[in-house]
Amino acid sequence: MVLTLYKLDASPPVRAVKMVIAAINLPDVEYVDVNLLQGDHLKEDYIKINPQHTVPTLADDDFVIWDSHVIATYLINMYADNDSLYPSDPKTRALIDQRMHFDCSILFPPIREAVGPVIFGNDKAFQPEVLHKIQSGYEFTEKFLTGEWLAGDDLSVADICCVATISTSNEILPIDETLFPKLAEWMKRCSELEIYKNENEPGLNIFSQILKSKLA
Ligand SMILES: N[C@@H](CCC(=O)N[C@@H](CS)C(=O)NCC(=O)O)C(=O)O
């Protein structure tokens, strides 16, 4: 099999997939950069692969799939030595799926909404309504954290996907640890993981630099 990941390191969902690839020790993934700032994703060749023109996109030989959560669980189901990141027990899996749908529908959209007008437009500040949505995502996440990890006592793919997103929104609206102590602790726990240091931090730094240069 030949695995190709179309990616942009600054992108949170790309970083989530790269952390999963590292967590399951998947060797020999070919990486292809898609520069959104230069409009690579809107070119005919890329639209043919993914009509929704998002990154990340995965090609496994001629099977093509996108959305980071789907790519992450596909790679675990298909190639991981064990299912610890995405256990097959239906209730555990449902809890993980809920967190990932929450990431997709609540945590990630305000990041796009906040940075779009800054990175692709001329805005020099974030809209207050968007910051409110990010804060609301923090409030929910704080409530979900009843154990060490987002879906209980063990690290799962939900933590990986959500930390890629929340570490990014933290650059837009820093997490107030007096309001969200469990969230701040979880962030710290995640940031100590090797996969986070190697696969999330570098792209997060790129994101942060782009943002700072646009806000300046
Ligand atoms: N839910 C998707 C979101 C993907 C997404 O929106 N990626 C952004 C970059 S962070 C993108 O590709 N934007 C370009 C576009 O939508 O045209 C996922 O998890 O993969």
mmCIF file of all heavy atoms in Angstrom, residues 11-13 36 41 52-56 67-69 104 108 112, ligand 1:
data_model
loop_
_atom_site.group_PDB
_atom_site.id
_atom_site.type_symbol
_atom_site.label_atom_id
_atom_site.label_comp_id
_atom_site.label_asym_id
_atom_site.label_seq_id
_atom_site.Cartn_x
_atom_site.Cartn_y
_atom_site.Cartn_z
ATOM 1 N N SER A 11 -2.231 23.611 9.921
ATOM 2 C CA SER A 11 -3.648 23.257 10.064
ATOM 3 C C SER A 11 -3.884 22.315 11.255
ATOM 4 O O SER A 11 -3.257 21.256 11.346
ATOM 5 C CB SER A 11 -4.115 22.595 8.756
ATOM 6 O OG SER A 11 -5.150 21.682 8.995
ATOM 7 N N PRO A 12 -4.824 22.678 12.161
ATOM 8 C CA PRO A 12 -5.088 21.802 13.314
ATOM 9 C C PRO A 12 -5.500 20.366 12.927
ATOM 10 O O PRO A 12 -4.945 19.407 13.477
ATOM 11 C CB PRO A 12 -6.188 22.521 14.087
ATOM 12 C CG PRO A 12 -6.220 23.916 13.562
ATOM 13 C CD PRO A 12 -5.609 23.922 12.202
ATOM 14 N N PRO A 13 -6.461 20.187 12.008
ATOM 15 C CA PRO A 13 -6.831 18.802 11.686
ATOM 16 C C PRO A 13 -5.685 17.993 11.059
ATOM 17 O O PRO A 13 -5.602 16.775 11.251
ATOM 18 C CB PRO A 13 -8.013 18.940 10.723
ATOM 19 C CG PRO A 13 -8.128 20.363 10.354
ATOM 20 C CD PRO A 13 -7.378 21.161 11.358
ATOM 21 N N LEU A 36 -2.481 26.524 1.340
ATOM 22 C CA LEU A 36 -3.788 27.206 1.236
ATOM 23 C C LEU A 36 -3.623 28.693 0.938
ATOM 24 O O LEU A 36 -4.455 29.286 0.251
ATOM 25 C CB LEU A 36 -4.579 27.050 2.542
ATOM 26 C CG LEU A 36 -4.896 25.639 3.053
ATOM 27 C CD1 LEU A 36 -5.808 25.711 4.263
ATOM 28 C CD2 LEU A 36 -5.520 24.764 1.991
ATOM 29 N N HIS A 41 -5.200 24.399 -2.888
ATOM 30 C CA HIS A 41 -6.355 23.519 -2.646
ATOM 31 C C HIS A 41 -7.485 23.765 -3.640
ATOM 32 O O HIS A 41 -8.394 22.957 -3.755
ATOM 33 C CB HIS A 41 -6.856 23.701 -1.211
ATOM 34 C CG HIS A 41 -7.293 25.091 -0.869
ATOM 35 N ND1 HIS A 41 -6.535 26.215 -1.118
ATOM 36 C CD2 HIS A 41 -8.445 25.551 -0.303
ATOM 37 C CE1 HIS A 41 -7.175 27.289 -0.723
ATOM 38 N NE2 HIS A 41 -8.338 26.914 -0.225
ATOM 39 N N GLN A 52 -14.182 18.805 -1.806
ATOM 40 C CA GLN A 52 -14.453 19.732 -0.698
ATOM 41 C C GLN A 52 -13.236 20.623 -0.421
ATOM 42 O O GLN A 52 -13.286 21.509 0.434
ATOM 43 C CB GLN A 52 -14.823 18.916 0.547
ATOM 44 C CG GLN A 52 -15.766 19.623 1.502
ATOM 45 C CD GLN A 52 -16.038 18.779 2.744
ATOM 46 O OE1 GLN A 52 -16.112 17.545 2.668
ATOM 47 N NE2 GLN A 52 -16.188 19.430 3.882
ATOM 48 N N HIS A 53 -12.146 20.354 -1.106
ATOM 49 C CA HIS A 53 -10.871 21.084 -1.070
ATOM 50 C C HIS A 53 -10.337 21.420 0.319
ATOM 51 O O HIS A 53 -9.819 22.521 0.563
ATOM 52 C CB HIS A 53 -10.900 22.328 -1.982
ATOM 53 C CG HIS A 53 -12.097 23.243 -1.823
ATOM 54 N ND1 HIS A 53 -12.209 24.126 -0.791
ATOM 55 C CD2 HIS A 53 -13.201 23.402 -2.585
ATOM 56 C CE1 HIS A 53 -13.349 24.794 -0.920
ATOM 57 N NE2 HIS A 53 -13.970 24.364 -1.999
ATOM 58 N N THR A 54 -10.461 20.464 1.247
ATOM 59 C CA THR A 54 -9.903 20.666 2.585
ATOM 60 C C THR A 54 -8.629 19.851 2.767
ATOM 61 O O THR A 54 -8.415 18.854 2.070
ATOM 62 C CB THR A 54 -10.919 20.229 3.662
ATOM 63 O OG1 THR A 54 -11.376 18.911 3.338
ATOM 64 C CG2 THR A 54 -12.085 21.176 3.751
ATOM 65 N N VAL A 55 -7.815 20.293 3.721
ATOM 66 C CA VAL A 55 -6.744 19.442 4.233
ATOM 67 C C VAL A 55 -7.107 19.102 5.673
ATOM 68 O O VAL A 55 -7.739 19.914 6.338
ATOM 69 C CB VAL A 55 -5.352 20.147 4.193
ATOM 70 C CG1 VAL A 55 -4.813 20.241 2.804
ATOM 71 C CG2 VAL A 55 -5.356 21.491 4.912
ATOM 72 N N PRO A 56 -6.753 17.913 6.145
ATOM 73 C CA PRO A 56 -6.005 16.864 5.466
ATOM 74 C C PRO A 56 -6.892 16.021 4.541
ATOM 75 O O PRO A 56 -8.098 15.921 4.746
ATOM 76 C CB PRO A 56 -5.527 15.999 6.643
ATOM 77 C CG PRO A 56 -6.628 16.118 7.659
ATOM 78 C CD PRO A 56 -7.119 17.532 7.542
ATOM 79 N N ASP A 67 -11.499 14.518 6.026
ATOM 80 C CA ASP A 67 -11.922 14.844 7.389
ATOM 81 C C ASP A 67 -10.976 14.111 8.355
ATOM 82 O O ASP A 67 -10.885 12.876 8.350
ATOM 83 C CB ASP A 67 -13.370 14.477 7.728
ATOM 84 C CG ASP A 67 -13.714 15.069 9.094
ATOM 85 O OD1 ASP A 67 -13.383 14.431 10.108
ATOM 86 O OD2 ASP A 67 -14.233 16.192 9.151
ATOM 87 N N SER A 68 -10.307 14.928 9.164
ATOM 88 C CA SER A 68 -9.255 14.390 10.040
ATOM 89 C C SER A 68 -9.761 13.280 10.960
ATOM 90 O O SER A 68 -9.056 12.298 11.203
ATOM 91 C CB SER A 68 -8.671 15.521 10.894
ATOM 92 O OG SER A 68 -9.683 16.155 11.646
ATOM 93 N N HIS A 69 -10.996 13.420 11.468
ATOM 94 C CA HIS A 69 -11.508 12.421 12.413
ATOM 95 C C HIS A 69 -11.690 11.081 11.720
ATOM 96 O O HIS A 69 -11.404 10.024 12.284
ATOM 97 C CB HIS A 69 -12.830 12.909 13.018
ATOM 98 C CG HIS A 69 -12.752 14.323 13.497
ATOM 99 N ND1 HIS A 69 -12.901 15.397 12.650
ATOM 100 C CD2 HIS A 69 -12.468 14.834 14.710
ATOM 101 C CE1 HIS A 69 -12.738 16.526 13.329
ATOM 102 N NE2 HIS A 69 -12.469 16.206 14.578
ATOM 103 N N CYS A 104 -15.596 18.584 15.747
ATOM 104 C CA CYS A 104 -15.936 18.977 14.370
ATOM 105 C C CYS A 104 -16.990 20.091 14.327
ATOM 106 O O CYS A 104 -16.902 20.996 13.499
ATOM 107 C CB CYS A 104 -16.477 17.723 13.685
ATOM 108 S SG CYS A 104 -16.148 17.683 11.963
ATOM 109 N N PHE A 108 -13.919 23.377 16.384
ATOM 110 C CA PHE A 108 -13.126 23.814 15.226
ATOM 111 C C PHE A 108 -13.733 24.993 14.440
ATOM 112 O O PHE A 108 -12.995 25.917 14.072
ATOM 113 C CB PHE A 108 -12.845 22.617 14.298
ATOM 114 C CG PHE A 108 -12.035 22.977 13.095
ATOM 115 C CD1 PHE A 108 -10.696 23.335 13.215
ATOM 116 C CD2 PHE A 108 -12.608 23.006 11.831
ATOM 117 C CE1 PHE A 108 -9.943 23.696 12.108
ATOM 118 C CE2 PHE A 108 -11.865 23.365 10.710
ATOM 119 C CZ PHE A 108 -10.523 23.703 10.843
ATOM 120 N N ARG A 112 -11.866 28.635 12.392
ATOM 121 C CA ARG A 112 -11.948 29.065 10.979
ATOM 122 C C ARG A 112 -12.549 30.459 10.892
ATOM 123 O O ARG A 112 -12.076 31.322 10.173
ATOM 124 C CB ARG A 112 -12.816 28.085 10.179
ATOM 125 C CG ARG A 112 -12.064 26.874 9.666
ATOM 126 C CD ARG A 112 -12.926 26.075 8.695
ATOM 127 N NE ARG A 112 -13.097 26.762 7.425
ATOM 128 C CZ ARG A 112 -13.000 26.185 6.236
ATOM 129 N NH1 ARG A 112 -12.727 24.900 6.144
ATOM 130 N NH2 ARG A 112 -13.187 26.852 5.129
HETATM 131 N N1 LIG B 1 -13.592 18.891 9.590
HETATM 132 C C1 LIG B 1 -12.456 18.984 8.712
HETATM 133 C C2 LIG B 1 -11.983 20.415 8.621
HETATM 134 C C3 LIG B 1 -10.890 20.584 7.564
HETATM 135 C C4 LIG B 1 -10.636 22.035 7.263
HETATM 136 O O1 LIG B 1 -11.570 22.881 7.312
HETATM 137 N N2 LIG B 1 -9.374 22.346 6.935
HETATM 138 C C5 LIG B 1 -9.037 23.711 6.568
HETATM 139 C C6 LIG B 1 -7.590 24.006 6.988
HETATM 140 S S1 LIG B 1 -7.436 24.020 8.726
HETATM 141 C C7 LIG B 1 -9.092 23.812 5.045
HETATM 142 O O2 LIG B 1 -8.732 22.896 4.357
HETATM 143 N N3 LIG B 1 -9.550 24.963 4.519
HETATM 144 C C8 LIG B 1 -9.608 25.202 3.111
HETATM 145 C C9 LIG B 1 -11.002 25.121 2.542
HETATM 146 O O3 LIG B 1 -11.945 24.732 3.266
HETATM 147 O O4 LIG B 1 -11.157 25.451 1.365
HETATM 148 C C10 LIG B 1 -11.343 18.061 9.226
HETATM 149 O O5 LIG B 1 -11.366 17.729 10.414
HETATM 150 O O6 LIG B 1 -10.510 17.627 8.419
#
